[in-house]
Amino acid sequence: MNSTIVWMIIGMGVVTYLPRLLPFVLLGRIQLPPFWQGVLKNVPYAVLGALIIPDVFFIQDDVVFGAIGFAAAVIAAWFGANVMVVVLAAVAVLSLYSLVV
Amino acid sequence: MAPFRQGVQAGVAIAIGYTPIALAFGLLAKTTGLTLGETVLMSLVVFAGASQYIALSLIAAGTGALEIVLTTFILNIRHFLMSASLSEKAEPDAFWKKALYAFGITDETFSVAAMKEGTVNASYMFGLIAMAYGSWVVNSGIGHAVGASLPESLQESMAIALYAMFIGLLVPALKKQRKIVWLAGLSALFNSIGTFVLHLSKGWSIVLATLLSAVIVQWLAKEGGNGDE
């Protein structure tokens, strides 16, 4: 293995691990004020919004492709399908779509 | 069900969703000139999809190692927010266990763990992360070794998988609480503005959109007395 690449990988690993680890070190000792506890409880829903939009529409050059996958997933989830079914439904709908187009 | 098994079961969707991305990563790493060992090492040590892709494109462009490490750091600062949020939901466990599962926090493992009812403990996190990490590392290696990814049309269709998983996690919560509609909607809007108007990097845009939305909604809920209608 090329040693520059290996050192780069180790460096990438360290700077990726630190943000993942630090909150457990810091927040294990202190109790946050209620307002900030509330903010941290909000984070998962806000993260999901930002992880989905706008990127889902750009999984391919054709925006329609992403939009169809998005719609399929939303409809499946809306009608109470579990996460696995939502994933399979969206993949299946897009597979059909690419067959047709 | 034992928490570890519960975690494994919840991780299946992630393992499937990672497959096409990891295969493509392995293939791209090969064409970029990385050896099989280097490719697997990167997936083992870094375990962060987006930054690994960006590292490849920077290597191909001849960018220096230090700049690649810095770019990785900026892209992954968002995990700080996720770990902070998860630490509020985590059951008391030995610190070494928390330090171990903290390594496995990605957009996907965090989302699944955060949407789980009740608290999460180390056994659950280990099961969840074992699936995600296993899929990521093994499929990176296969992508490099085989030198091919899935058939093109399947590869393209499967690009929706992780987004569909996020949607499958979010929609049931949206239906239950108006507050969650605001949280997800505002941060989607802010992230779109960050991306298209302000041209922020993906890492900063997600961090700022999430934090802004979480703070604004919390502030409004406090003003209104109770946001959990």
Side-chain angles (χ1 to χ4, degrees):
Chain A
M1 281 191 230
N2 175 330
S3 75
T4 311
I5 296 270
V6 171
W7 279 111
M8 183 197 77
I9 290 172
I10 292 170
M12 287 173 68
V14 170
V15 299
T16 304
Y17 183 47
L18 281 180
R20 287 167 168 168
L21 175 67
L22 272 179
F24 288 98
V25 177
L26 302 173
L27 297 175
R29 289 148 210 265
I30 54 161
Q31 174 93 17
L32 284 176
F35 180 84
W36 289 99
Q37 285 182 18
V39 169
L40 288 181
K41 288 207 175 84
N42 288 344
V43 160
Y45 308 107
V47 160
L48 282 170
L51 286 175
I52 298 166
I53 294 174
D55 287 4
V56 66
F57 300 109
F58 302 97
I59 56 174
Q60 214 205 52
D61 298 336
D62 177 14
V63 179
V64 176
F65 188 81
I68 290 174
F70 175 78
V74 169
I75 291 168
W78 188 265
F79 286 103
N82 78 33
V83 172
M84 210 46 238
V85 176
V86 174
V87 169
L88 296 177
V91 172
V93 166
L94 283 185
S95 301
L96 274 176
Y97 174 73
S98 20
L99 278 180
V100 175
V101 177
Chain B
M1 202 191 318
F4 183 83
R5 264 193 67 189
Q6 220 181 331
V8 166
Q9 209 167 63
V12 174
I14 304 179
I16 293 175
Y18 278 180
T19 301
I21 305 171
L23 288 172
F25 171 76
L27 178 63
L28 193 63
K30 185 181 195 174
T31 51
T32 309
L34 266 63
T35 65
L36 176 62
E38 289 162 352
T39 304
V40 173
L41 185 72
M42 194 191 281
S43 287
L44 272 171
V45 171
V46 184
F47 188 37
S51 50
Q52 290 181 226
Y53 268 96
I54 290 176
L56 291 184
S57 64
L58 292 177
I59 291 169
T63 310
L66 203 62
E67 196 179 328
I68 294 176
V69 172
L70 195 68
T71 307
T72 303
F73 177 64
I74 288 169
L75 189 65
N76 290 331
I77 285 177
R78 68 180 187 280
H79 295 137
F80 183 88
L81 219 49
M82 300 182 193
S83 277
S85 177
L86 197 66
S87 76
E88 292 284 310
K89 190 187 169 81
E91 290 173 22
D93 274 305
F95 177 73
W96 70 268
K97 289 185 182 172
K98 289 186 176 179
L100 194 58
Y101 73 66
F103 171 80
I105 291 173
T106 63
D107 296 345
E108 293 76 21
T109 56
F110 167 72
S111 300
V112 170
M115 290 299 134
K116 178 182 174 288
E117 297 272 340
T119 55
V120 293
N121 62 21
S123 300
Y124 175 85
M125 291 304 294
F126 289 152
L128 179 67
I129 289 164
M131 292 300 286
Y133 191 54
S135 169
W136 182 250
V137 172
V138 170
N139 285 311
S140 304
I142 293 176
H144 190 291
V146 176
S149 51
L150 299 170
E152 198 188 324
S153 72
L154 184 60
Q155 180 81 14
E156 285 188 345
S157 311
M158 280 190 77
I160 195 73
L162 291 176
Y163 295 102
M165 185 186 82
F166 293 143
I167 292 166
L169 290 168
L170 181 60
V171 167
L174 285 181
K175 285 172 73 176
K176 273 188 223 145
Q177 274 190 44
R178 178 71 53 83
K179 182 184 179 183
I180 295 174
V181 178
W182 281 102
L183 282 168
L186 275 180
S187 86
L189 175 70
F190 293 150
N191 191 36
S192 303
I193 294 173
T195 307
F196 299 121
V197 182
L198 306 175
H199 302 288
L200 296 174
S201 72
K202 183 183 158 80
W204 283 122
S205 186
I206 290 179
V207 168
L208 292 176
T210 300
L211 204 54
L212 261 181
S213 161
V215 169
I216 289 173
V217 170
Q218 190 60 25
W219 185 72
L220 290 176
K222 201 179 143 205
E223 290 290 297
N226 180 20
D228 305 302
E229 34 182 315

